């Protein structure tokens, strides 16, 4: 799921306090002050789904804001939800990751407290609020990345109550339907406006499974997936994918991700279906191709992540992107990016639907980014790779009970965008002594490159559990043929610990960084590879923003992304790149807009060169993906982002929704 990038922010703060004596790269806004073109008239464009369109391109055809005037962006309006720990005592930990969607001049978004907000898209004025009133048990950081909208077809219930419906998943595992016009629950959906997503899962611990990402609407079906807590137990709740009727909430179909030929479980006493346990889940964002009637699901690992000896063969759909028939839930194809995953290499990003030119022929494709820095380009109808993929030998496991896959798939086009290994010469150190200690730490662990299995002596895990890529996903420029994404570059150490060495551990008394993996012979310890000073040993930069050219298959540019500005109160910021959470969007004017970094900024870059054009100071962290729209031909283009921070990452918390436009 969304892993802890660093055990605390202590490591980075220690680094900054030691580095302040060294020469620093001071960052400042470099946006142009030239206003080279009047606002004028232009075609409007919206943002109807979480990823900008059903295929998740995160691209807008708007060009009112461009290289020449982006430096003039100013705050157009600000809305505050009130849903953050500073205002609500029941929200001890939150992460405001929502991306609004736009319909009929109204923005719809959700807060970490599972309230839906409808805002006037031009003024930010509140139109209504719906409170799902979820249970707060389970101790999770509260997360709601977004909502989905359904419209009745013309002449079919159009204009009536709930003819436009907003759908949201809740932290207590419900799917709610709300009238987009009034903010009232759609009483005809399920039981009084909600469907119980725990049905058929069996024994579920508090907070063990719920929807963090928005549902997906295809026709008259709303499709749900859900997070399942990592590494708690072998028999965790299953990762079933379900399709519900948008009007009634009736279950139309389900996809239980077990290998073909597996016998279905006997129904419950009331005749409702039951689902297998321990299967892989899809916690990230789904995509849809309405014309082909397909839903694309990015699955994570079967439970638990780091030991596969007890998975009962449930690896078939694990770490795979799967195309499902949106009308029936039947699997059409699957492509597995990791065999028998042992590294928490979930497919974390939304499968992106783009057109790719191969040997002069335009092909409808799925572009799947991964935590490993691999990008797989697949035929949208069949799942067949559009370019050769090599099955390369990888290191074996020496852990009793484990049998690692002998090979793993490596794409040949485009080239991987994340390094596959850290060697002694690569390690970072703030002093020669610190670097020497990092080299000693590296030498103590098993270090044979990517896909080295977890071990008793500790395995260097690079890329780490946060990627490479994470849920922020890629953005696609169809004219320039560029993919833009962030990369996290923090190495970790994975250590399996026999249960007999630490008897009696429970969730209440386990040491920090240790997960129980109940039902297996081993605990797992995950920790950042760091020196005794607490400084990460990974080579700089620890986070980048990168553009990949699909004409050449190579990086067009890559820059360090994220400064130390908000880690410690110093008068300067060092721009050596830090981990991030959130994603970019692109516009036809050749701009990249992104928050995401551990400092509190919204930035704009030139998509062709990576040059920074704008840096706007924000009141909190922006661990969310922005969106953009223009409502009228004579109106303004707005860029909107949720600004509320991330408790686990330690960024500044808040409850702001901020819109920017030209003055």
């Amino acid at each position: 799921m969304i892993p802890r990038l660093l055990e605390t922010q202590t490591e980075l703060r220690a680094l900054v306090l030691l580095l302040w004596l060294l020469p620093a790269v001071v960052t400042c806004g470099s946006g142009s002050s030239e206003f080279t073109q009047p606002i004028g008239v232009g075609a409007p464009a919206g943002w109807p789904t979480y990823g900008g369109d059903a295929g998740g391109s995160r691209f807008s055809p708007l060009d009112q804001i461009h290289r020449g005037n982006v430096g003039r962006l100013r705050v157009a309006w600000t809305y505050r939800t009130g849903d953050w720990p500073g205002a609500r005592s029941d929200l001890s930990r939150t992460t405001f990751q929502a991306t609004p969607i736009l319909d009929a001049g109204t923005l719809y978004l959700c807060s970490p407290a599972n309230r839906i907000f409808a805002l006037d898209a031009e003024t930010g004025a509140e139109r209504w609020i719906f409170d799902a009133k979820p249970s707060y048990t389970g101790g999770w950081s509260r997360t709601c990345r977004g909502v989905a909208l359904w419209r009745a077809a013309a002449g079919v219930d159009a204009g009536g109550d709930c003819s436009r419906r907003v759908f949201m998943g809740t932290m207590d595992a419900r799917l709610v339907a709300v009238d987009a016009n009034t903010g009232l629950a759609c009483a005809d959906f399920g039981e009084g406006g909600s469907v119980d997503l725990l049905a058929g899962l069996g024994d579920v611990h508090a907070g063990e499974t719920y929807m963090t990402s928005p549902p997906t609407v295809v026709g008259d079906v709303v499709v749900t997936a859900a997070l399942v807590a990592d590494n708690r137990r072998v028999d965790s709740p299953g990762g079933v994918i379900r399709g519900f009727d948008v009007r009634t909430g009736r279950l139309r179909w389900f996809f239980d991700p077990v290998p073909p030929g597996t016998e279905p479980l006997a129904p419950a006493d009331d005749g409702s279906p039951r689902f297998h346990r321990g299967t892989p889940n899809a916690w990230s964002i789904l995509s849809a191709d309405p014309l082909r009637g397909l839903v694309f699901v990015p699955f994570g690992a079967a439970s638990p992540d780091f030991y596969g000896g007890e998975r009962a063969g449930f690896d078939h759909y694990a770490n795979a992107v799967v195309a499902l028939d949106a009308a029936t839930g039947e699997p059409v194809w699957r492509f597995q990016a990791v065999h028998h995953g042992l590294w928490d290499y979930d497919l974390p990003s939304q499968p992106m639907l783009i057109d790719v030119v191969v040997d002069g022929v335009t092909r409808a494709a799925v572009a799947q980014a991964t935590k490993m820095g691999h990008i797989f380009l697949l035929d949208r109808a069949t799942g067949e790779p559009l370019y050769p993929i090599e099955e390369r030998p990888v290191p074996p496991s020496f852990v009793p009970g484990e049998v690692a896959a002998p090979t793993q798939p490596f794409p040949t086009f485009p080239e991987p965008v994340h390094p596959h290994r850290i060697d002694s010469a690569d390690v970072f150190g703030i002093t020669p002594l610190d670097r020497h200690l990092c080299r000693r730490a590296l030498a103590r662990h098993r270090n044979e490159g990517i896909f080295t299995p977890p071990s008793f002596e500790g395995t260097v895990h690079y890329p780490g559990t946060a990627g490479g890529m994470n849920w922020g996903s890629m953005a696609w420029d169809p004219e320039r043929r560029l993919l833009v994404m962030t990369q996290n570059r923090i190495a970790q150490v994975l250590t399996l610990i026999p249960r007999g060495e630490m008897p009696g551990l429970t969730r209440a008394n386990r040491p920090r960084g240790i997960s129980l993996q109940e039902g297996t012979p081993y605990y797992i310890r995950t920790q950042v590879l760091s020196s005794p000073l607490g400084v990460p040993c990974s080579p700089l930069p620890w986070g980048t923003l990168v553009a990949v050219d699909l004409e050449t298959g190579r990086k067009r540019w890559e820059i360090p992304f994220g400064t130390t500005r908000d880690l410690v109160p110093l008068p300067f910021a060092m721009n050596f790149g830090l981990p991030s959470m959130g994603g970019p969007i692109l516009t036809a004017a050749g701009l990249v807009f992104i928050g995401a970094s551990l400092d509190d900024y919204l930035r704009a870059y030139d998509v062709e060169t990576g040059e920074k054009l704008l840096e706007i100071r924000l009141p909190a962290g922006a661990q969310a993906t922005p969106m953009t729209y223009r409502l009228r031909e004579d109106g303004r283009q707005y860029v909107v982002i949720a600004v509320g921070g991330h408790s686990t990452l330690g960024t500044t918390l808040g409850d702001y929704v901020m819109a920017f436009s030209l003055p």
Side-chain angles (χ1 to χ4, degrees):
M1 314 327 171
I2 306 304
R4 183 179 292 113
L5 287 173
L6 300 173
E7 290 303 321
T8 67
Q9 289 294 319
T10 304
E11 296 92 336
L12 289 178
R13 291 193 172 95
L15 170 63
V16 175
L17 288 171
L18 289 164
L19 275 177
W20 72 272
L21 290 172
L22 302 179
V25 179
V26 181
T27 63
C28 61
S30 60
S32 169
S33 62
E34 295 297 319
F35 189 75
T36 60
Q37 180 177 327
I39 289 177
V41 175
W47 200 271
T49 67
Y50 175 87
D53 53 60
S57 72
R58 291 166 180 76
F59 175 80
S60 171
L62 295 176
D63 60 3
Q64 183 187 83
I65 303 169
H66 52 76
R67 295 177 181 88
N69 62 24
V70 66
R72 293 173 58 87
L73 277 191
R74 299 292 183 268
V75 176
W77 54 259
T78 299
Y79 178 82
R80 303 197 65 174
T81 69
D83 290 354
W84 69 294
R88 294 183 57 161
S89 60
D90 53 356
L91 289 175
S92 59
R93 294 188 298 154
T94 65
T95 166
F96 197 7
Q97 298 176 4
T99 297
I101 61 173
L102 174 71
D103 187 70
T106 301
L107 295 176
Y108 301 96
L109 73 151
C110 56
S111 73
N114 287 151
R115 292 202 297 166
I116 302 175
F117 299 82
L119 308 178
D120 183 286
E122 282 199 296
T123 68
E126 179 186 298
R127 289 184 167 166
W128 53 256
I129 300 175
F130 171 82
D131 190 347
K133 298 180 179 178
S135 167
Y136 286 82
T137 58
W140 281 86
S141 292
R142 315 304 175 189
T143 301
C144 183
R145 294 193 185 98
V147 298
L149 188 131
W150 169 82
R151 278 175 171 269
V156 184
D157 302 328
D161 291 344
C162 287
S163 61
R164 295 189 307 128
R165 300 182 180 218
V166 180
F167 294 97
M168 175 184 69
T170 69
M171 70 181 76
D172 56 358
R174 290 176 291 134
L175 176 67
V176 299
V178 178
D179 190 322
N181 295 319
T182 66
L184 300 176
C186 295
D188 57 351
F189 184 82
E191 296 293 329
S194 71
V195 169
D196 180 10
L197 297 178
L198 298 180
L201 297 184
D203 172 44
V204 178
H205 298 166
E208 193 173 15
T209 178
Y210 70 102
M211 291 180 65
T212 54
S213 295
T216 300
V217 173
V218 188
D220 288 345
V221 177
V222 55
V223 183
T224 65
L227 168 153
V228 177
D230 279 339
N231 302 312
R232 289 193 181 181
R233 50 178 175 157
V234 167
D235 62 339
S236 62
V240 61
I241 311 297
R242 285 173 279 199
F244 296 94
D245 186 284
V246 294
R247 293 181 177 85
T248 66
R250 177 180 62 85
L251 181 65
R252 285 196 179 184
W253 56 257
F254 63 86
F255 173 66
D256 200 359
V258 294
T262 304
E263 288 294 321
L265 296 178
D269 291 342
D270 62 359
S272 61
R274 296 188 305 124
F275 312 116
H276 289 83
R277 302 179 67 82
T279 55
N281 67 88
W283 55 267
S284 192
I285 306 99
L286 279 56
S287 296
D289 185 335
L291 292 178
R292 290 175 173 81
L294 296 176
V295 176
F296 301 92
V297 183
F299 277 103
S303 186
D305 285 302
F306 302 110
Y307 177 76
E310 313 291 341
R311 288 185 187 154
F314 285 172
D315 277 326
H316 183 77
Y317 290 109
N319 309 106
V321 57
V322 178
L324 301 178
D325 186 307
T328 66
E330 290 296 315
V332 177
W333 57 259
R334 67 149 190 151
F335 174 83
Q336 191 168 61
V338 182
H339 307 319
H340 189 64
L342 301 173
W343 305 272
D344 193 14
Y345 282 159
D346 300 338
L347 296 190
S349 61
Q350 183 176 17
M352 180 184 287
L353 309 187
I354 63 176
D355 290 335
V356 176
V357 179
V358 183
D359 296 329
V361 178
T362 300
R363 304 279 297 274
V366 176
Q368 180 65 61
T370 70
K371 290 185 180 181
M372 302 88 72
H374 295 167
I375 302 169
F376 294 98
L377 300 176
L378 311 170
D379 184 279
R380 199 179 307 172
T382 67
E384 292 297 316
L386 298 183
Y387 294 92
I389 292 174
E390 297 177 353
E391 287 287 340
R392 299 177 187 171
V394 292
S397 175
F398 303 117
V399 172
E402 185 61 88
V403 180
T407 65
Q408 293 290 349
F410 288 77
T412 60
F413 186 102
E415 297 175 349
V417 294
H418 191 292
H420 281 172
R421 181 185 174 103
I422 295 178
D423 289 317
S424 178
D426 302 325
V427 298
F428 175 77
I430 58 173
T431 67
L433 175 60
D434 192 55
R435 192 176 186 196
H436 170 71
L437 294 174
C438 271
R439 285 173 171 162
R440 290 183 58 183
L442 188 72
R444 285 197 302 270
H445 304 301
R446 192 174 176 192
N447 181 31
E448 300 165 52
I450 191 172
F451 297 122
T452 304
S455 59
F456 298 136
E457 66 268 34
T459 290
V460 176
H461 184 39
Y462 189 69
T465 56
M469 180 60 66
N470 214 280
W471 59 263
S473 306
M474 302 184 292
W476 167 242
D477 188 321
E479 296 300 321
R480 298 170 181 88
R481 317 300 291 172
L482 293 175
L483 290 168
V484 177
M485 69 208 78
T486 59
Q487 292 287 293
N488 294 323
R489 293 170 52 163
I490 292 288
Q492 295 170 291
V493 177
L494 304 178
T495 308
L496 290 168
I497 303 171
R499 291 194 182 278
E501 295 183 9
M502 301 181 72
L505 289 190
T506 66
R507 289 195 66 210
N509 67 9
R510 63 189 173 93
R512 189 177 184 87
I514 290 183
S515 297
L516 300 183
Q517 299 193 138
E518 293 174 353
T520 77
Y522 312 108
Y523 306 117
I524 183 70
R525 175 187 287 123
T526 58
Q527 57 194 139
V528 174
L529 177 65
S530 58
S531 74
L533 294 176
V535 177
C537 297
S538 310
L540 296 176
W542 293 334
T544 69
L545 184 67
V546 57
V548 174
D549 189 331
L550 286 195
E551 297 288 344
T552 66
R554 299 185 178 93
K555 295 177 185 177
R556 171 78 66 88
W557 50 262
E558 185 170 25
I559 58 172
F561 180 65
T563 75
T564 61
R565 171 66 174 80
D566 292 297
L567 291 176
V568 291
L570 291 176
F572 55 81
M574 287 164 284
N575 184 28
F576 50 70
L578 297 176
S580 64
M581 281 291 163
I585 65 170
L586 302 179
T587 71
L591 297 180
V592 181
F593 289 102
I594 186 169
S597 63
L598 294 186
D599 51 11
D600 300 341
Y601 289 100
L602 173 69
R603 295 182 171 96
Y605 297 87
D606 187 314
V607 73
E608 295 188 14
T609 66
E611 177 190 0
K612 184 173 64 177
L613 304 173
L614 172 72
E615 188 170 75
I616 295 179
R617 187 75 175 148
L618 301 173
Q623 279 66 58
T625 300
M627 51 88 74
T628 187
Y629 56 90
R630 185 177 186 175
L631 298 177
R632 302 185 314 276
E633 289 187 356
D634 61 347
R636 299 182 185 277
Q637 179 184 350
Y638 294 88
V639 176
V640 177
I641 189 168
V643 181
H646 194 299
S647 294
T648 304
L649 294 181
T651 55
T652 309
L653 299 183
D655 63 340
Y656 305 86
V657 183
M658 301 186 71
F660 301 87
S661 69
L662 296 173

